[in-house]
Amino acid sequence: MKKSSFKIKEYRTQFIQELTPIYDAGEAESFFYLILEEKHQLKRIDLALHPDLVFSEEEIVVWNSILEQLKQEIPVQYLLGKTSFYGLDFEVNENVLIPRPETEELVEWILESQKSKVESQNIRILDIGTGSGCIAISLAKNIPNAQVFAIDVSEKALATAKTNAENNSVNVTFINQNILETEDLRQQFDIIVSNPPYVRNLEKEEIKKNVLDNEPHLALFVEDNDALIFYKKIAELAQENLSKNGQLYFEINQYLGKEMVDLLEKMNFKNIQLRKDIYGNDRMLSCHCEERSNRI
Ligand code: GLN
């Protein structure tokens, strides 16, 4: 019996139509091409050059299942199991946050400030709450000879991060540890960086359904009345374990820029710089600590 097939161009029209009540047409179209490239290694240009290309019946079953899941607002990155961050491929799943463009900006900032330093090659870097490993791995990839360490409380997240390090051919030492229960980092680091959970429960309403329903809450949320809990702890550890001239970097909650600066000033951190992301929100911060005496 001859199997039926479907013209890809026609399927595309239907796919976009079915998604447009939920996503705008541009986004729906971008999903289509992302999946086409990932599943069939075909690009937009291939479809233009070969308008008669078809999907087999089996392929349509797969596409329809993806379409259904997109309708339920499951992020396309989880459906494909991968995303790209700072030009590198990362495996992602429900145990890790999908890396965000804001976090790429933080990586860019760190790399920029390293460039000007002569001694930048042999530095030691620690990423706290590494998740998919996106920060640690992109720093390892771009700072040759840096020794990179990464901590996460979630074993499942670390398994994903390890795969990502292998796939990107970098050496990162992963440590399964709860930072809130850590008393001493035991070693000195030249850079400590963290994108810890920072979304307050009171901000839940602002969070999109696709994030809320699918991404790990462990990596996102903090209590309203103790929103800076991770930053306080990490800054305390940094006071002891940041090397002389070492630098601390944070991704932060856009509404808590001032509170973050106050906190770090009180703890006697120096040269505190607050930066906005491409959307104009206070999103990242860097500082260093010169003196070790004035702890709170
Ligand atoms: N920026 C992420 C979001 O908006 C939150 C990341 C985090 O809590 N560290 O969902």
Side-chain angles (χ1 to χ4, degrees), residues 115-281:
K115 262 192 217 149
S116 52
K117 295 189 183 153
V118 207
E119 74 279 14
S120 73
Q121 295 295 295
N122 294 313
I123 57 168
R124 297 163 60 84
I125 300 175
L126 175 65
D127 174 23
I128 298 173
T130 196
S132 65
C134 63
I135 297 178
I137 292 166
S138 46
L139 291 177
K141 194 82 191 169
N142 288 283
I143 310 177
N145 305 323
Q147 279 188 63
V148 183
F149 299 78
I151 292 178
D152 206 286
V153 67
S154 158
E155 268 178 58
K156 288 181 177 164
L158 281 182
T160 305
K162 278 181 191 160
T163 308
N164 284 327
E166 275 164 30
N167 291 347
N168 284 298
S169 318
V170 294
N171 229 328
V172 174
T173 306
F174 291 103
I175 305 155
N176 186 207
Q177 195 168 320
N178 181 343
I179 200 66
L180 296 178
E181 290 169 5
T182 303
E183 285 183 4
D184 186 348
L185 293 172
R186 294 215 178 87
Q187 312 177 43
Q188 296 298 108
F189 296 95
D190 302 292
I191 294 178
I192 296 178
V193 53
S194 183
N195 172 19
Y198 59 66
V199 181
R200 290 170 292 180
N201 286 313
L202 63 88
E203 287 153 10
K204 260 191 182 151
E205 278 176 20
E206 278 179 39
I207 299 275
K208 290 197 186 126
K209 177 176 153 44
N210 59 355
V211 174
L212 206 55
D213 290 355
N214 297 287
E215 300 206 55
H217 287 199
L218 177 68
L220 286 171
F221 293 107
V222 285
E223 295 300 325
D224 293 349
N225 57 8
D226 204 3
L228 302 185
I229 181 169
F230 287 97
Y231 299 97
K232 271 185 218 146
K233 181 71 193 186
I234 293 167
E236 272 170 23
L237 293 167
Q239 284 179 317
E240 297 300 325
N241 295 94
L242 207 50
S243 60
K244 195 168 171 285
N245 302 322
Q247 198 78 13
L248 178 61
Y249 290 91
F250 283 131
E251 180 173 318
I252 63 162
N253 182 316
Q254 65 190 84
Y255 304 115
L256 299 174
K258 188 179 173 316
E259 286 79 354
M260 278 300 308
V261 172
D262 288 350
L263 171 77
L264 294 166
E265 268 174 0
K266 269 196 209 129
M267 294 178 81
N268 210 24
F269 281 87
K270 302 291 177 214
N271 193 16
I272 303 167
Q273 294 178 49
L274 187 59
R275 272 208 191 182
K276 292 189 193 305
D277 61 21
I278 29 161
Y279 309 109
N281 296 318

